[in-house]
Amino acid sequence: MTKKDYIPELSEIRMVQRAPEGPLPFSASDKAYILACLADVQQSFGLDGFPGIQPEQITAKALIRQLIEWWRTLEPETEAQADAYGRMPGAIRLIDTVATWVEEREAARAGRNG
């Protein structure tokens, strides 16, 4: 497995900062997609990004951070790796979209109560 050097971009840093230290309210299908992507990346590349932690217990912040790092550093060498690698941006965007929605909803509630 080949890994590239990685310097985070500002947009990536902001995605990680926006994600909460806890769970996000994903739909069942969105959660299944993200966890399947994680499992496929780990299996195809022989990685364990969260040793000893059940996938459902991984925080949104830790998950998006790890997926971004893998997206930017891994180089697929097999068809299975290329498939798993190709789905990571969708999982990353999905996490960021829900995190942004939660952030905006909380800001709107604070505005009404402020």
Side-chain angles (χ1 to χ4, degrees):
M1 171 180 54
T2 307
K3 287 185 93 173
K4 304 177 261 184
D5 289 336
Y6 168 59
I7 298 172
E9 294 180 3
L10 180 58
S11 62
E12 296 165 342
I13 292 168
R14 287 185 174 155
M15 281 190 265
V16 171
Q17 289 174 341
R18 185 171 24 253
E21 286 289 352
L24 284 169
F26 295 114
S27 69
S29 62
D30 288 349
K31 184 175 184 177
Y33 178 83
I34 292 166
L35 294 180
C37 179
L38 173 66
D40 289 348
V41 170
Q42 291 185 119
Q43 182 178 9
S44 66
F45 284 93
L47 301 169
D48 187 357
F50 305 94
I53 300 174
Q54 293 297 318
E56 297 80 14
Q57 302 302 314
I58 301 167
T59 67
K61 185 178 290 295
L63 184 55
I64 198 169
R65 179 184 299 120
Q66 186 62 73
L67 289 174
I68 289 170
E69 181 182 323
W70 284 341
W71 168 248
R72 300 271 279 140
T73 61
L74 295 175
E75 300 233 9
E77 297 173 353
T78 68
E79 189 174 328
Q81 288 176 346
D83 180 58
Y85 182 84
R87 288 185 290 129
M88 277 195 285
I92 291 165
R93 282 191 298 272
L94 187 52
I95 296 166
D96 187 53
T97 298
V98 174
T100 300
W101 176 75
V102 167
E103 183 179 67
E104 289 172 355
R105 189 176 68 180
E106 289 173 0
R109 282 185 185 152
R112 286 189 294 242
N113 296 331

